[in-house]
Amino acid sequence: MNIIIASDYEDMSRKAADVIAAQVKAHPNCVLGLATGSTPIGLYADLVSDCKEGSISFSGITSFNLDEYRGLEGTHDQSYRYFMNTNLFDHVDIDKNATHVPDGSNPDSDAACADYEKMIAAAGGVDLQLLGLGHNGHVGFNEPADYFPVDTHIVDLTESTIQANSRLFDSIDDVPRQAYTMGIGTIMKARQILVVANGADKAQIVHDVLFGPVVPQVPASVLQLHPNVTFIVDSEAGSKIKDKL
Ligand code: F6R
C-alpha cells in the first residue's frame, strides 16, 4: 500500500492526475476505471489541461465508470454520464464510444448489470481504477453491509448517501433511491487502484479504511488486501494517519 499525504486539495489532485497520466503515457490503449463525486473534479481538470497542452492523449483509452443512478438518462444533469462528459470526456480526445457508464436508463437491472460485467471482461479488465471514498467507507455505491458484494449489481441507497447527494438535486425527493454499481469483486479485479480523499470530514474514515479491520461494514477496508493500491489524501483527510506512516 502506497500512502501519500498531499499538502492540500490542489496538490492531491495534481499527484493523482500524475498517476493517471503516467499510466496513459505508458499504456496508451489501457482501460481506466473512473469515479464521479466532488473529490476527483480537480484531478479531471488537471488531466484536461495535460491533454490540451499535448502531454497526454486519451485517444486509445477505454473507460468504465463505477456507478450510475438507476432511472436517470445520461442527459440528466445529475447522471454520472453527464458528470463524466462535462468534467472530462467533452474536453479530451477520448472516443466517447469507448467510455462506459452503467446504463441507468435500463429498467432491467439484471441485464444492465450482467452486460456491464461482460463489457469490462471483453475489454480485458480494468488496468487502473480511480476511487473516491464515502464518509461511511463506501466505494462506488457499495454501502456498509454484512458481506462484500461481488459483481456489478443494483443497490438501494442508504439514507446517509441520499442525504449527502441531495445537495446536488433540487430537492431530496428528486434523489434516485437505487443505483447500479460495480461490485467489490469487480473493483478488486483492477490491476491497480488509486484512491483519493480530501477534507477533515474524511479523516476518520481514511484512518479506519487503512488501519481498521477488513470488514464489509467498512467496504473500502477490503483495499488492504489488494496488491497495488495508492492512496492520495490531502493533509486534512490524512490528519489521523500521519503519525502512523
Ligand atoms: C462516485 C462514487 C462514490 C464517491 C463517494 C465520495 O462514482 O462511486 O463512491 O466516490 O461518494 O464522493 P465525494 O468525492 O463527493 O466525497
Side-chain angles (χ1 to χ4, degrees), residues 27-206:
H27 305 285
N29 300 109
C30 74
V31 178
L32 297 179
L34 298 174
T36 62
S38 327
T39 318
I41 289 176
L43 76 89
Y44 288 147
D46 287 341
L47 290 172
V48 168
S49 301
D50 292 350
C51 192
K52 290 207 158 110
E53 284 161 12
S55 66
I56 52 168
S57 169
F58 288 85
S59 58
I61 297 298
T62 300
S63 73
F64 289 91
N65 263 77
L66 283 166
D67 43 16
E68 179 61 284
Y69 288 118
R70 184 184 192 211
L72 292 194
E73 298 282 342
T75 48
H76 190 289
D77 67 1
Q78 289 308 326
S79 74
Y80 288 177
R81 159 57 72 183
Y82 187 91
F83 174 101
M84 289 311 302
N85 285 348
T86 51
N87 283 286
L88 184 66
F89 301 152
D90 285 345
H91 311 292
V92 296
D93 57 349
I94 200 163
D95 173 4
K96 281 255 185 83
N97 294 320
T99 68
H100 307 278
V101 180
D103 183 3
S105 67
N106 186 349
D108 182 343
S109 56
D110 288 346
C113 296
D115 288 352
Y116 206 60
E117 285 290 328
K118 278 187 211 142
M119 282 192 288
I120 296 171
V126 173
D127 292 299
L128 172 60
Q129 176 68 55
L130 174 67
L131 298 176
L133 197 58
H135 293 101
N136 58 6
H138 73 229
V139 283
F141 271 119
N142 294 280
E143 301 285 3
D146 295 332
Y147 63 98
F148 291 111
V150 179
D151 294 327
T152 300
H153 59 288
I154 185 168
V155 286
D156 295 327
L157 306 192
T158 62
E159 270 315 307
S160 72
T161 298
I162 292 167
Q163 199 74 44
N165 291 355
S166 64
R167 71 190 192 280
L168 305 167
F169 288 80
D170 290 339
S171 100
I172 192 157
D173 295 336
D174 294 337
V175 184
R177 266 40 185 179
Q178 291 181 309
Y180 297 142
T181 182
M182 284 187 191
I184 293 293
T186 325
I187 292 167
M188 290 292 278
K189 272 190 256 173
R191 287 177 269 278
Q192 186 184 352
I193 295 180
L194 171 64
V195 189
V196 286
N198 70 289
D201 55 331
K202 296 277 176 78
Q204 187 62 47
I205 195 63
V206 165

Side-chain angles (χ1 to χ4, degrees), residues 200-221:
D201 55 331
K202 296 277 176 78
Q204 187 62 47
I205 195 63
V206 165
H207 170 275
D208 295 351
V209 162
L210 289 170
F211 295 102
V214 176
V215 286
Q217 289 77 17
V218 182
S221 64

